[in-house]
Amino acid sequence: MSSRPESPRILPAVGRFWRERAQRSGFFIATLDLTAACWGFLRDSTPSRLRSRFGDAGYDWDYRVNTTSGAVGWRDRLLGVFHSPYQPTERELFHEMVGALAEQTKLNFADFTFIDLGSGKGRALLMASDYPFQGIVGMELLPALHEIARQNVEQYKSDSQKCFRIKTICGDATEFEFPDRPLLLYLFNPLPESGLRRTITNLAQSLERKPRAAYVLYHNPLLENVVMEDAKFQKIAGTHQFSVFASTSASRN
């Protein structure tokens, strides 16, 4: 029987956070960034900020699931500061993003696997099941969030659900092995720059080995330059809230 995955440790995460910024901007700026991150965590931990962390609680009420950030424990929230803070995608925006992709590409959802790296409690997986994808896969680094996502997938009920093949994985997104099928990769700014760079490189290498259609739907694209720097991807749509990229193999189809 496989053992429960271990949660990342806080001190190594802090060290990695500081080193990456020091390499990019110098020791002084890295220290300022670390101080600001810690102060932001303390500020957001006050009782007065708790209500704001519940976000779109209406979604959870409608479907009897647990996807807001309000109930995330302090340790996982602190880890999120140095990896990627958990925040669920708003349902209206999610459907707007998928709609923009469909309008630009005319893709047949049934040919594609939806992949969410940094899937948190799984809300995007549940919303993606409103579309007839071939399958849906989510990977989350933090075991506590992964376990909640697994429970959400099990108890989710919706008359609009069209895909029932939903798989949740606990692991490092930078080590994800992309399936040899057409892909829609969803990213809600889930990784620091070095991690995102490794992930995009892994995807590009997978497409090199097995040419096929692939799209990247990037919500809150703070590091979209990482995707744009890879010659295998080109931006085809977007707003200030999201960007849509197509692989060069997808654009030829």
Side-chain angles (χ1 to χ4, degrees), residues 6 9 16 18 28 31 33 52 65 119 123 133 157 172 176 249:
E6 292 187 3
R9 292 179 296 161
R16 188 180 307 109
W18 186 86
F28 181 70
T31 303
D33 286 349
S52 67
V65 292
S119 50
R123 183 188 287 189
F133 288 106
K157 297 288 188 298
D172 187 341
F176 183 77
S249 53

Side-chain angles (χ1 to χ4, degrees), residues 2-244:
S2 61
S3 60
R4 179 184 175 88
E6 292 187 3
S7 181
R9 292 179 296 161
I10 292 174
L11 287 180
V14 173
R16 188 180 307 109
F17 177 93
W18 186 86
R19 286 193 303 273
E20 289 186 354
R21 281 158 177 75
Q23 290 171 359
R24 185 169 64 245
S25 305
F27 291 176
F28 181 70
I29 297 299
T31 303
L32 286 179
D33 286 349
L34 178 59
T35 302
C38 293
W39 170 247
F41 170 78
L42 293 173
R43 181 194 59 214
D44 289 341
S45 298
T46 59
S48 62
R49 297 295 290 266
L50 178 61
R51 182 184 298 272
S52 67
R53 296 205 306 271
F54 277 91
D56 182 14
Y59 183 89
D60 288 11
W61 177 259
D62 289 343
Y63 298 106
R64 303 299 189 267
V65 292
N66 168 16
T67 66
T68 68
S69 61
V72 176
W74 73 267
R75 187 179 186 280
D76 288 328
R77 287 198 302 109
L78 182 56
L79 281 167
V81 170
F82 303 111
H83 287 279
S84 175
Y86 172 67
Q87 182 179 357
T89 302
E90 297 177 3
R91 54 180 151 185
E92 291 81 5
L93 180 56
F94 181 84
H95 294 302
E96 177 187 340
M97 291 187 288
V98 176
L101 170 66
E103 182 178 352
Q104 284 289 325
T105 64
K106 312 300 182 186
L107 83 169
N108 181 2
F109 291 108
D111 294 335
F112 283 76
T113 297
F114 179 94
I115 297 170
D116 180 6
L117 297 183
S119 50
K121 293 183 176 183
R123 183 188 287 189
L125 308 179
L126 304 181
M127 294 188 294
S129 72
D130 284 347
Y131 302 88
F133 288 106
Q134 184 179 94
I136 295 171
V137 181
M139 175 173 268
E140 169 56 41
L141 180 67
L142 302 180
L145 299 188
H146 161 72
E147 177 59 24
I148 294 172
R150 187 190 64 78
Q151 295 173 8
N152 284 334
V153 168
E154 285 185 355
Q155 61 196 46
Y156 179 71
K157 297 288 188 298
S158 171
D159 292 339
S160 61
Q161 188 171 7
K162 296 181 176 64
C163 178
F164 297 87
R165 293 181 296 276
I166 306 176
K167 181 180 181 181
T168 58
I169 304 169
C170 187
D172 187 341
T174 65
E175 299 175 359
F176 183 77
E177 295 185 9
F178 291 96
D180 290 341
R181 298 188 293 275
L183 306 172
L184 170 52
L185 174 60
Y186 179 68
L187 303 171
F188 189 173
N189 200 41
L191 295 161
E193 183 172 346
S194 60
L196 180 60
R197 200 172 295 280
R198 289 196 298 273
T199 299
I200 295 301
T201 297
N202 291 343
L203 176 56
Q205 291 174 346
S206 177
L207 295 174
E208 186 70 29
R209 290 191 299 269
K210 173 75 172 179
R212 61 204 186 277
Y215 298 97
V216 179
L217 188 55
Y218 190 174
H219 180 198
N220 190 25
L222 298 179
L223 298 172
E224 70 172 3
N225 62 292
V226 172
V227 187
M228 297 175 70
E229 288 169 5
D230 195 300
K232 274 203 169 295
F233 302 97
Q234 58 183 357
K235 186 173 179 178
I236 60 173
T239 69
H240 68 285
Q241 293 181 296
F242 66 91
S243 296
V244 181

